[in-house]
Amino acid sequence: MTVTDPALCALAQGWCALSLLHGKIEAHLERALQTGHGLSAREYSLLDVLSRQHDGVGGHLQMKQVADSVALSQSATTRLVTRLEDRGLLSRYLCPTDRRGIYTDVTDAGLELLQAARPAHDTALRAALAETAQDVRLEPLVRALQSLPIRVAAAA
């Protein structure tokens, strides 16, 4: 029989709980967004991230930054952007100062869909957190999430 490091066991259990919490929240969001708005949770996240960009020099995210913010690989992010672009929710254009750079903007239709979907997203998130907080394994993580400081982006 192998003796396992207790600290490593605790980390593994914590990681499993975090993964379980993420899966439960994402499933709630997925159902609410697909049913009401025809969006996946990833599509919603991408629209949300891109809608928070500001205009001006340095005001747009590079695709690597977008990929990091939605926790996808660059290739998966590119495929997601292409799907949303095909639906008329995003547009892409070359960076005016670096022709290798490509910027992505949310179209008016994308902003309208995001605004319409936001209440469903927020309601599903609250419901998922309330439900998962009933699980003793997940309650500490839910409490930690709820205690995170709110950061409001400064106006550009």
Side-chain angles (χ1 to χ4, degrees):
M1 181 193 269
T2 305
V3 176
T4 305
D5 179 1
L8 188 55
C9 284
L11 282 174
Q13 288 174 347
W15 173 245
C16 287
L18 184 60
S19 182
L20 179 61
L21 177 64
H22 177 269
K24 286 179 175 281
I25 290 172
E26 191 163 53
H28 263 83
L29 295 175
E30 195 74 31
R31 281 189 302 274
L33 292 168
Q34 279 291 347
T35 301
H37 304 282
L39 282 173
S40 71
R42 296 274 187 193
E43 290 168 339
Y44 176 91
S45 290
L46 181 62
L47 288 173
D48 185 53
V49 165
L50 292 175
S51 75
R52 296 174 195 275
Q53 297 182 113
H54 59 87
D55 292 330
V57 177
H60 288 86
L61 299 174
Q62 297 172 348
M63 286 303 279
K64 181 182 181 336
Q65 293 170 304
V66 174
D68 289 346
S69 67
V70 294
L72 290 173
S73 68
Q74 284 186 269
S75 61
T77 302
T78 299
R79 288 190 301 274
L80 185 57
V81 166
T82 299
R83 278 198 315 270
L84 292 174
E85 186 179 35
D86 290 347
R87 291 174 57 188
L89 303 174
L90 298 178
S91 63
R92 283 189 266 201
Y93 62 95
L94 290 176
C95 171
T97 58
D98 180 357
R99 304 302 270 170
R100 295 168 299 172
I102 298 174
Y103 289 145
T104 304
D105 276 335
V106 181
T107 63
D108 289 342
L111 288 173
E112 287 175 21
L113 181 57
L114 179 63
Q115 185 176 8
R118 193 175 307 280
H121 173 274
D122 295 349
T123 299
L125 180 57
R126 281 189 207 96
L129 289 171
E131 180 182 304
T132 54
Q134 302 305 309
D135 185 327
V136 296
R137 298 167 300 167
L138 304 179
E139 187 274 334
L141 291 172
V142 172
R143 201 171 355 102
L145 270 176
Q146 293 170 330
S147 69
L148 290 174
I150 298 172
R151 293 189 322 179
V152 178

